[in-house]
Amino acid sequence: MLQQTFAIVKPDGVARGLIGEVLIRIERNQLKIKALKLIHMTQSQVQGFYAVHKERPFFSSLCAFMSSGPCVVMILEGENAIARWREMMGATNYKDAAAGTIRRDFATDIEKNVVHGSDAPETAAFETGYFFNALERV
Ligand code: IDP
Ligand code: MG
């Protein structure tokens, strides 16, 4: 099934010079980039994006981290793009992530885990719409 998903290179990834590394992996895995920009979110913009996590103990730390510097936000498209991008990212906790995944190779912390990916079609639709309007997509 042809799908779109939403991806982020988080502030730790951008600060550490990992934008190119992530983009190379995306292109090598035949996911098409349909939208892309560099943004620096405010805390309240992050709160809106991560609203599903607002009751979690790590929420305020996560919002501070995600607004600490610029991120690259993207829409990716391909067959089963949601699952394929999550597989490329690896588990949330890099210690549990499979060999060869982005988080296993580069994450330093359960929070500072380099990349984000939507977890379902409904969240992908919400997240792509949160960051991109029609003119920003090809
Ligand atoms: P995901 O990014 O793999 O989908 P989620 O459970 O949706 O993981 O959590 C969103 C983000 O919140 C994670 O990517 C990570 O940055 C952060 N996070 C998740 N669990 C923890 C935790 O236990 N401590 C600190 N940060 C966490
Ligand atoms: Mg998630």
Side-chain angles (χ1 to χ4, degrees):
M1 180 199 357
L2 190 67
Q3 263 181 346
Q4 290 194 343
T5 192
F6 174 71
I8 304 182
V9 183
K10 294 184 179 183
D12 60 329
V14 172
R16 290 167 59 209
L18 295 172
I19 297 172
E21 177 66 37
V22 172
L23 293 181
I24 279 172
R25 290 181 184 218
I26 288 168
E27 293 187 326
R28 285 201 182 131
N29 280 275
Q30 270 85 50
L31 286 173
K32 271 203 189 121
I33 297 170
K34 302 293 284 185
L36 182 152
K37 62 187 173 186
L38 187 73
I39 61 165
H40 189 159
M41 285 187 268
T42 63
Q43 292 240 15
S44 74
Q45 288 168 334
V46 178
Q47 285 162 8
F49 167 61
Y50 271 136
V52 292
H53 293 313
K54 63 179 187 294
E55 309 301 340
R56 308 281 284 276
F58 56 82
F59 185 65
S60 63
S61 172
L62 178 61
C63 292
F65 162 55
M66 290 298 288
S67 60
S68 68
C71 288
V72 172
V73 292
M74 290 172 269
I75 299 174
L76 308 179
E77 185 177 273
E79 284 295 312
N80 298 312
I82 294 171
R84 281 170 59 207
W85 172 235
R86 287 205 60 104
E87 203 174 305
M88 288 169 61
M89 293 196 310
T92 308
N93 187 341
Y94 72 101
K95 291 176 181 169
D96 302 328
T101 61
I102 294 169
R103 284 167 166 173
R104 176 67 169 266
D105 288 346
F106 300 108
T108 53
D109 187 273
I110 190 168
E111 178 180 79
K112 295 174 182 63
N113 58 6
V114 188
V115 281
H116 165 84
S118 309
D119 59 11
E122 301 71 35
T123 49
F126 166 74
E127 293 172 358
T128 56
Y130 190 79
F131 290 98
F132 293 103
N133 65 38
L135 286 172
E136 295 174 311
R137 307 168 185 226
V138 297

